[in-house]
Amino acid sequence: AQKVTQTQTSISVVEKTTVTMDCVYETRDSSYFLFWYKQTASGEIVFLIRQDSYKKENATVGHYSLNFQKPKSSIGLIITATQIEDSAVYFCAMREYNTNTGKLTFGDGTVLTVKP
Amino acid sequence: EAAVTQSPRSKVAVTGGKVTLSCHQTNNHDYMYWYRQDTGHGLRLIHYSYVADSTEKGDIPDGYKASRPSQENFSLILELASLSQTAVYFCASSDRGQDSDYTFGSGTRLLVI
């Protein structure tokens, strides 16, 4: 069964610095999709960025980028030039390719606090 | 604007009572999901549906039923609410593509007393 683990419970950084959040996953499928979501203090959950397992290039969207290390089953989220409003809970999630359920399996999340 | 709307936003229910959480999407998505979030934890899948009039069990379906009467609407039903079902419930929708991301509703905070 697929499993997603985020080992960092919380991280605190100073504004304008770079932060990396870790995520490791387990799957039997050779093809899969990895997602990162952000949950704000209000509870809203929004999609940030996706990595397709068959792509070697790391995905980048705005000041979010991924560090995909397939041999290590690892997908880190990198936020550059952090801002106060980046303070939130970040979830890593995975979907196996050979599924018709659309199901995403989520990690427990990492709380990011960005301080002035 | 495409969206997922949940109602109610919060609810207090009595143990043993029936609770219905509603979800409506305007994304024209085939897939809809109900997840549960407990404090300090991630999201766990309760039920999902990929077509109207059909629902499937997720990872933690015990104590919950689901109903998908139309493509737009997906309900989660707690026939006999229990204290352990106190949580925040999120509805989401997605397209059929394997690379499709979720659009989430704002969540329903349920307190069972």
Side-chain angles (χ1 to χ4, degrees):
Chain A
Q2 52 187 334
K3 184 178 180 181
V4 177
T5 302
Q6 296 179 250
T7 56
Q8 301 156 304
T9 304
S10 63
I11 300 175
S12 181
V13 300
V14 175
E15 190 179 16
K16 299 180 183 178
T17 61
T18 295
V19 63
T20 298
M21 283 173 269
D22 300 329
C23 176
V24 293
Y25 54 89
E26 297 176 19
T27 178
R28 295 178 181 176
D29 272 12
S30 58
S31 294
Y32 44 88
F33 300 89
L34 300 162
F35 302 78
W36 280 91
Y37 287 82
K38 172 183 178 181
Q39 184 173 33
T40 62
S42 68
E44 304 289 327
I45 303 174
V46 296
F47 164 70
L48 293 178
I49 191 169
R50 185 189 83 241
Q51 179 76 38
D52 302 344
S53 66
Y54 56 87
K55 292 185 177 179
K56 294 184 178 180
E57 305 79 25
N58 289 320
T60 298
V61 176
H63 75 143
Y64 302 108
S65 61
L66 297 177
N67 179 19
F68 180 42
Q69 300 183 60
K70 194 170 183 179
K72 295 184 178 180
S73 296
S74 171
I75 183 74
L77 174 68
I78 303 167
I79 306 177
T80 57
T82 51
Q83 304 163 15
I84 301 297
E85 50 266 36
D86 290 325
S87 295
V89 182
Y90 291 81
F91 291 101
C92 177
M94 178 178 67
R95 176 186 292 132
E96 295 174 332
Y97 182 82
N98 290 315
T99 176
N100 61 354
T101 69
K103 168 187 172 181
L104 285 178
T105 297
F106 289 83
D108 283 344
T110 296
V111 178
L112 174 66
T113 302
V114 181
K115 299 180 177 179
Chain B
E1 181 178 322
V4 177
T5 305
Q6 291 183 232
S7 62
R9 287 300 308 273
S10 66
K11 182 173 181 66
V12 178
V14 177
T15 303
K18 182 177 181 177
V19 177
T20 300
L21 307 183
S22 300
C23 180
H24 178 81
Q25 57 110 347
T26 59
N27 302 325
N28 198 33
H29 286 162
D30 288 324
Y31 288 84
M32 295 188 75
Y33 315 84
W34 277 104
Y35 281 83
R36 167 180 173 153
Q37 183 179 34
D38 294 284
T39 303
H41 292 283
L43 298 154
R44 292 183 292 169
L45 182 64
I46 306 171
H47 285 288
Y48 65 96
S49 169
Y50 50 84
V51 68
D53 294 323
S54 178
T55 63
E56 306 292 336
K57 293 180 179 179
D59 298 323
I60 54 164
D62 293 346
Y64 302 94
K65 292 184 179 179
S67 173
R68 181 108 181 256
S70 64
Q71 186 193 38
E72 298 80 16
N73 296 292
F74 192 35
S75 298
L76 185 67
I77 303 150
L78 290 65
E79 294 279 3
L80 296 169
S82 67
L83 297 175
S84 63
Q85 293 177 312
T86 292
V88 180
Y89 292 85
F90 285 94
C91 177
S93 73
S94 74
D95 207 346
R96 281 191 171 271
Q98 292 300 78
D99 59 353
S100 297
D101 58 276
Y102 282 3
T103 301
F104 281 93
S106 300
T108 295
R109 189 173 296 274
L110 175 65
L111 174 64
V112 182
I113 59 174

